[in-house]
Amino acid sequence: MSKPSADTLAAALKAAGTKGPPPVHLWNPPFCGDLDMRIARDGTWFYLGTPIGRAPLVKLFSSILKREGDDYFLVTPVEKVGIRVDDAPLLAIDFDVAGAGRDQILTFTTRTEDVAALGPDHPLRVERDPQSGEPSPYILIRSNLWALVDRKSFYRLVDLCCHHEHDGHKWFGLWSSGQFFPVIPSSELP
């Protein structure tokens, strides 16, 4: 077997000829080692230290991304290679709003064209930097793969937030798909 590379992964995926999203959850090939590929916090994919400039290739690689524990892999039916992820493997770059208030549905789109409606199957979580308190919001896109919500989209989300009682405390958060998603305790706002 040849040493895995970006080219061999792309070729193996094309040879698999799947229609729709590849069934990576069904693939469990042997581990072939780590690949010098990294996903930066801003969603840029790097191969051998160079940004991958071809969006269709990045989209192809993102479709075969799999997370096991804290590790990330690119998998095909015959290969499994480890890659590095600085923060989240996906980046949510926009969202659409349908409806208003408790009835609204927020549908996010990632840089790699994944689409997910914020709700029970695609929850929002917000982590705060321990030093600065700065929030980092994430939405679950698929199969334990989270997307960091980019800054401009987060500012738009804040405009949709309201105060609501949640788990016995008042929170500033937002509604989508009939569920309230807390962002920050109301008491921590100026």
Side-chain angles (χ1 to χ4, degrees), residues 17-179:
T18 61
K19 296 215 186 278
V24 296
H25 63 286
L26 299 176
W27 296 343
N28 197 18
F31 179 67
C32 300
D34 291 325
L35 192 62
D36 186 6
M37 189 173 284
R38 176 177 73 91
I39 305 172
R41 189 172 200 269
D42 70 358
T44 303
W45 288 60
F46 290 86
Y47 180 59
L48 300 174
T50 303
I52 301 173
R54 295 179 35 218
L57 189 57
V58 170
K59 183 177 176 182
L60 177 71
F61 288 142
S62 76
S63 74
I64 59 170
L65 189 59
K66 185 177 186 180
R67 182 176 180 186
E68 295 176 357
D70 290 334
D71 298 320
Y72 293 90
F73 303 92
L74 297 180
V75 295
T76 70
V78 296
E79 290 180 303
K80 175 180 176 181
V81 295
I83 66 167
R84 292 184 324 274
V85 176
D86 290 354
D87 186 4
L90 303 169
L91 183 70
I93 58 169
D94 201 4
F95 68 91
D96 293 315
V97 182
R102 291 177 182 231
D103 298 324
Q104 73 188 359
I105 298 174
L106 308 177
T107 304
F108 287 80
T109 303
T110 69
R111 179 178 281 168
T112 51
E113 300 177 9
D114 291 285
V115 176
L118 181 62
D121 293 335
H122 302 281
L124 180 79
R125 80 174 203 270
V126 179
E127 295 181 8
R128 293 178 63 192
D129 181 277
Q131 264 74 33
S132 68
E134 182 177 339
S136 293
Y138 301 85
I139 180 173
L140 180 63
I141 300 296
R142 59 182 153 85
S143 304
N144 202 23
L145 296 177
W146 292 82
L148 174 65
V149 177
D150 72 357
R151 187 172 300 273
K152 69 172 171 35
S153 298
F154 182 59
Y155 289 145
R156 288 181 52 222
L157 283 177
V158 168
D159 288 340
L160 297 172
C161 285
C162 63
H163 295 277
H164 180 72
E165 191 79 19
H166 180 76
D167 290 340
H169 300 283
K170 194 162 195 136
W171 282 82
F172 188 67
L174 52 101
W175 289 92
S176 182
S177 303
Q179 184 172 343

